[in-house]
Amino acid sequence: MSTKAQKSSALDILKKILSNQIFIPISALLILTIVNLIVDPSFFEISLGYSSDGNPVLSGYLMTIIDYGSELAILAIGMTLVTAASGGQDISVGAAIAIAGSVILRVLCGTETSPETIQAPIIVAFLVSVLVAMAFGAFNGVLVAYFRIQPMVATLILFTAGRSIAAWINNNQLPIVNDETFTYFGGFIPGIPIPTPFFIAIACIIVTALVLKFTNLGLYVQSVGINEQSSRLNGLNPKFIKFITFVILGICVAVAGLIKVSRLSTINYSVIAKDIEMDAILAVALGGNVLSGGKFSITSSILGAYVIQFLTTTLYKFEVQSAALSAYKAIVVIILVVISAPVVREKASAIWKKLVNKKAAAKQAG
Amino acid sequence: MSFLSKTRNKFRGITDTNLLTSITIVVFVVMYLCAVIFLGEGFLKAQTFFNMLNANAALIILSCGMSLVMITGGIDISVGGVTALVSMCCAVFLDHHGGNVFGSILIALGIGLAFGLVQGYLVAYLDIQPFIVTLAGMFFARGMTTIVNTNPFNVANEEFVALKDTRIVIPGMGWYNKAGKYVDAYIEIGVIVALIVVAIMFFALKWTKSGRNFYAVGGNQQSALMLGVNVKRTKFVSHVICGLLAGIGGFVYFMHVGSGAASHASGAEMNAIASSIIGGTMLTGGVGNIIGTLFGVMSLALIQNIVSSVGLDEAWWTGITIAAMLCLFLVIQSIVISRKKNQKAEEAMEASAPTATEEKENGDKKSD
């Protein structure tokens, strides 16, 4: 008897772990780590080198993951909120990053293409781009919340026009920033060997955590996502909450845009942040969030974002072409959504129950 | 009854489908007239119109599939990727493996059907959001295109080039060029295919039982289920047909451009959705018309033509104008929906008002 009770309690614990949201990204991370360990342990090597200016710089695949995964993590924060509140995803983030980056360069460079000194402080350029990105987020938000258009279709408008608008802001020219400090945001701050985007991501995560802790935003977003009608009857304003999530995503987009343009000190309108919407949605899905809205966990999404970057870096290491990457990621998405589909889950649990019952019956017969 | 209220009643009686379609047709005609008046004689030439058809035959076919899926209440954004994959696979088959045209047509249909079957199964039977499934489908198709062949190239297969260069001359529509020589107006084979697809889809959706099922499922899944419509199978079939049409559209596109490249048909899914929406297909499902879709595609083509003849040649203007037009029509749809809702509420009020007075009268009689 006692062994049976122990067994059932162990099963319960296992079930609890399995049903926890963060289990999905962690298990994906474990699988990827093990695969990499078996194939080539040198993947995890980190070496301390010196940049051309003599500053200490850490390099290695893990640093790449931390570096490039950070912009994705920042986007994942906003995308999770949008997904939870409106039950759809914003597919215009890539185009919006192009706009935000273009605005930053426009403010920094003025009308010249390659000025010797920057024309405005970086903080001013960043704030302007935050305002612009928030305005575009608000545009999406109005279409979704007040005109009741499906989020993915509403954001399709900006998805098409975004890169064109970005090119138009700079008259289709490619301004170059010649300023040392501007490269810090996407590279390294002298003396600190860890890439700066990681610190920016941590700052964003802390701010989000504080906002969720001291306001009711998280609760409201969740309730609107679960049942819009009943949350309206309970005195919430679902339209405004949906709207505000898109504006928050706008802020995240501006931060990611700053990192993106800082990496190159210039911009390429058709290539910058290409396909990043796919990765951001994938991060949310991998974080175990329901893509049709409702409960959400930002921690899992952030972890999901780093796992996606882990996957991308691994694929790059196996010398997969960057254009072919999307095919592999698409397969991962399909596997994920199929596993998390309620229909599949029900069927799986039914089969599981059948097996358990059969075992029990066999035991009884024995 | 005054004339005003009569027309108002007539206006009320018009269905959403017809209202949205007629808005599109009116917009198209007005735009064309403006183009003729302000931009000169070029738009009066029949060939200008035929060139719009030639360049957009593939888009018409893709949009027909898209409209069908949207009428059923879903969406399919993989059509552009499938088009690119089809043209690349056919190109590789024809040039590197010495294939023939018939085989490449089979490849095109096979790829389209495969995408349709898988996506349809995932959407209909596993109940996964169509947008996510087809987004993955789109990225998969684009990635596969690169894996099949990285570099773009022109197809040199003689049989295919002969087919590609086939021109169907339309008698009596030609014009005299500057040298005074008579030039025949022509259309490509793809246009014939597109028009056949439009005709079949239009009749099937309008007058067959299974065609009406798509509207029923898109309009209200629950009531369609109660009326005995097999909702899951209808959704599945809509995705399969859309996939198949994407395959056909891919081959027509391939016949038009005659090359394979990973960047082919980029944004085609967007244009297909935009033309369906402009053509009066509702995103919420249940409302739509293939003729409207045809005019939607032609409107987009006309915008591109106008933008380039005004002199705004930079590529970004097309994107911005299309997005603006899409936005406009989405807002019109949203207003139409809310107008219908208000109207229903009004009618309900009107209907309930007389019954209330009747009851009162009855009550009065009783008290007598």
Side-chain angles (χ1 to χ4, degrees):
Chain A
M1 275 308 279
S2 66
T3 52
K4 206 177 179 185
Q6 264 180 1
K7 227 182 197 174
S8 73
S9 73
L11 261 179
D12 278 347
I13 292 171
L14 196 70
K15 243 184 192 172
K16 245 183 201 169
I17 295 173
L18 280 176
S19 60
N20 197 337
Q21 223 182 326
I22 209 160
F23 168 75
I24 304 174
I26 285 181
S27 56
L29 188 62
L30 277 181
I31 293 170
L32 278 172
T33 314
I34 291 167
V35 167
N36 272 309
L37 269 179
I38 293 169
V39 177
D40 187 7
S42 70
F43 187 85
F44 297 96
E45 269 173 16
I46 294 176
S47 55
L48 185 67
Y50 289 92
S51 66
S52 50
D53 307 337
N55 293 314
V57 163
L58 283 177
S59 61
Y61 286 114
L62 283 184
M63 281 298 130
T64 317
I65 294 169
I66 284 181
D67 195 356
Y68 286 85
S70 293
E71 55 200 41
L72 207 53
I74 294 167
L75 282 180
I77 295 172
M79 191 66 90
T80 311
L81 288 175
V82 165
T83 303
S86 59
Q89 286 76 36
D90 185 340
I91 59 166
S92 69
V93 285
I97 285 177
I99 294 175
S102 188
V103 167
I104 290 176
L105 290 184
R106 174 79 191 182
V107 175
L108 285 182
C109 295
T111 48
E112 296 168 58
T113 40
S114 180
E116 293 291 312
T117 53
I118 50 174
Q119 310 282 321
I122 294 171
I123 183 77
V124 172
F126 175 62
L127 287 180
V128 171
S129 86
V130 167
L131 282 181
V132 171
M134 276 167 76
F136 279 104
F139 170 73
N140 284 336
V142 166
L143 287 180
V144 171
Y146 295 95
F147 287 100
R148 299 179 170 280
I149 300 166
Q150 288 170 21
M152 284 185 165
V153 179
T155 51
L156 208 57
I157 296 173
L158 197 55
F159 177 79
T160 356
R163 291 177 192 278
S164 304
I165 295 172
W168 173 67
I169 288 173
N170 272 315
N171 287 327
N172 212 12
Q173 270 157 357
L174 307 173
I176 298 163
V177 178
N178 299 312
D179 190 73
E180 186 73 5
T181 44
F182 187 63
T183 58
Y184 293 166
F185 297 99
F188 296 87
I189 296 173
I192 302 173
I194 296 170
T196 325
F198 186 57
F199 296 113
I200 299 177
I202 286 178
C204 287
I205 292 166
I206 291 172
V207 169
T208 319
L210 288 178
V211 167
L212 289 180
K213 176 120 182 131
F214 291 106
T215 66
N216 286 334
L217 183 75
L219 183 68
Y220 287 176
V221 163
Q222 207 155 313
S223 71
V224 168
I226 291 169
N227 192 331
E228 194 179 332
Q229 205 58 34
S230 59
S231 49
R232 195 180 65 80
L233 293 175
N234 276 311
L236 298 183
N237 186 349
K239 285 181 181 170
F240 181 71
I241 287 168
K242 277 186 186 177
F243 173 77
I244 209 80
T245 55
F246 276 92
V247 177
I248 292 173
L249 180 58
I251 301 173
C252 298
V253 160
V255 176
L258 175 69
I259 296 174
K260 277 278 182 203
V261 284
S262 166
R263 284 190 203 285
L264 295 174
S265 286
T266 180
I267 193 167
N268 185 338
Y269 303 111
S270 55
V271 175
I272 183 175
K274 198 164 179 274
D275 295 349
I276 206 169
E277 50 274 355
M278 177 74 168
D279 281 350
I281 296 170
L282 196 50
V284 175
L286 197 61
N289 297 293
V290 189
L291 288 179
S292 48
K295 277 194 156 184
F296 68 95
S297 155
I298 287 187
T299 327
S300 320
S301 295
I302 292 164
L303 198 60
Y306 283 106
V307 173
I308 297 296
Q309 193 54 49
F310 203 125
L311 175 69
T312 313
T313 314
T314 311
L315 287 173
Y316 271 129
K317 190 173 164 286
F318 290 128
E319 286 171 359
V320 173
Q321 281 175 341
S322 63
L325 269 182
S326 56
Y328 298 94
K329 281 188 192 161
I331 294 171
V332 176
V333 179
I334 287 295
I335 292 172
L336 269 176
V337 289
V338 166
I339 291 173
S340 61
V343 181
V344 178
R345 278 195 175 180
E346 270 168 31
K347 268 188 189 160
S349 70
I351 290 171
W352 174 251
K353 262 184 193 167
K354 236 185 195 173
L355 278 177
V356 170
N357 284 345
K358 254 189 194 168
K359 253 187 195 171
K363 247 185 195 173
Q364 270 185 358
Chain B
M1 203 182 267
S2 69
F3 175 74
L4 198 75
S5 69
K6 235 183 200 171
T7 46
R8 201 169 148 217
N9 277 351
K10 230 182 201 174
F11 189 63
R12 274 188 180 184
I14 198 166
T15 57
D16 285 349
T17 312
N18 291 340
L19 177 66
L20 292 172
T21 309
S22 36
I23 290 176
T24 313
I25 294 176
V26 167
V27 167
F28 176 75
V29 171
V30 167
M31 277 202 309
Y32 210 100
L33 286 179
C34 288
V36 170
I37 293 167
F38 294 112
L39 297 171
E41 301 272 300
F43 281 93
L44 268 180
K45 249 191 258 169
Q47 189 57 42
T48 313
F49 187 75
F50 289 142
N51 276 343
M52 269 161 47
L53 277 177
N54 287 340
N56 290 288
L59 187 59
I60 292 173
I61 299 174
L62 297 182
S63 304
C64 284
M66 184 70 77
S67 294
L68 177 70
V69 173
M70 278 165 67
I71 286 169
T72 324
I75 199 161
D76 186 342
I77 55 170
S78 70
V79 289
V82 174
T83 302
L85 183 59
V86 162
S87 48
M88 182 57 95
C89 286
C90 291
V92 168
F93 178 71
L94 284 173
D95 259 25
H96 296 190
H97 299 286
N100 55 358
V101 171
F102 182 69
S104 62
I105 292 176
L106 283 187
I107 287 181
L109 293 180
I111 291 173
L113 197 61
F115 269 84
L117 285 171
V118 173
Q119 290 178 165
Y121 179 77
L122 291 176
V123 170
Y125 292 102
L126 296 189
D127 214 12
I128 304 171
Q129 279 189 358
F131 212 114
I132 296 291
V133 171
T134 52
L135 187 74
M138 162 178 141
F139 279 92
F140 181 72
R142 290 250 175 244
M144 278 311 283
T145 312
T146 325
I147 293 174
V148 170
N149 195 342
T150 320
N151 302 319
F153 66 97
N154 283 325
V155 176
N157 185 301
E158 282 172 18
E159 205 184 337
F160 174 75
V161 172
L163 183 69
K164 175 179 173 274
D165 290 338
T166 309
R167 303 260 189 269
I168 297 162
V169 175
I170 310 266
M173 295 287 234
W175 75 99
Y176 290 96
N177 64 6
K178 276 172 193 162
K181 205 178 148 200
Y182 186 76
V183 185
D184 276 320
Y186 68 89
I187 52 173
E188 288 172 10
I189 298 176
V191 178
I192 306 286
V193 178
L195 292 181
I196 290 172
V197 166
V198 167
I200 292 175
M201 292 284 288
F202 179 71
F203 286 112
L205 276 177
K206 195 118 196 167
W207 284 299
T208 66
K209 198 179 136 204
S210 42
R212 300 314 292 179
N213 279 355
F214 293 115
Y215 284 94
V217 170
N220 191 332
Q221 264 192 49
Q222 211 61 38
S223 16
L225 193 68
M226 288 179 175
L227 286 170
V229 177
N230 191 338
V231 171
K232 285 183 177 175
R233 201 177 62 201
T234 311
K235 275 188 181 176
F236 178 67
V237 168
S238 77
H239 274 275
V240 172
I241 294 177
C242 182
L244 200 58
L245 287 180
I248 298 173
F251 194 78
V252 169
Y253 185 88
F254 179 52
M255 276 205 300
H256 183 68
V257 294
S259 64
S263 60
H264 268 350
S266 62
E269 58 278 343
M270 170 61 205
N271 285 342
I273 294 172
S275 7
S276 294
I277 290 171
I278 291 170
T281 309
M282 247 347 167
L283 282 166
T284 41
V287 177
N289 188 335
I290 296 297
I291 297 296
T293 305
L294 178 63
F295 275 95
V297 176
M298 296 313 286
S299 301
L300 283 194
L302 186 59
I303 290 177
Q304 281 167 4
N305 247 350
I306 290 175
V307 164
S308 59
S309 36
V310 166
L312 301 167
D313 215 17
E314 290 93 343
W316 72 73
W317 275 106
T318 324
I320 291 179
T321 42
I322 289 177
M325 190 154 174
L326 180 64
C327 185
L328 181 76
F329 274 83
L330 277 172
V331 170
I332 289 178
Q333 283 194 2
S334 162
I335 291 168
V336 165
I337 294 173
S338 61
R339 185 187 70 104
K340 280 268 155 175
K341 264 188 193 160
N342 289 343
Q343 200 178 305
K344 266 183 192 160
E346 233 173 67
E347 275 166 12
M349 287 277 279
E350 277 169 17
S352 67
T355 50
T357 51
E358 263 171 37
E359 271 170 22
K360 211 182 174 189
E361 275 170 15
N362 288 344
D364 288 346
K365 271 175 195 169
K366 263 178 199 170
S367 67
D368 280 339

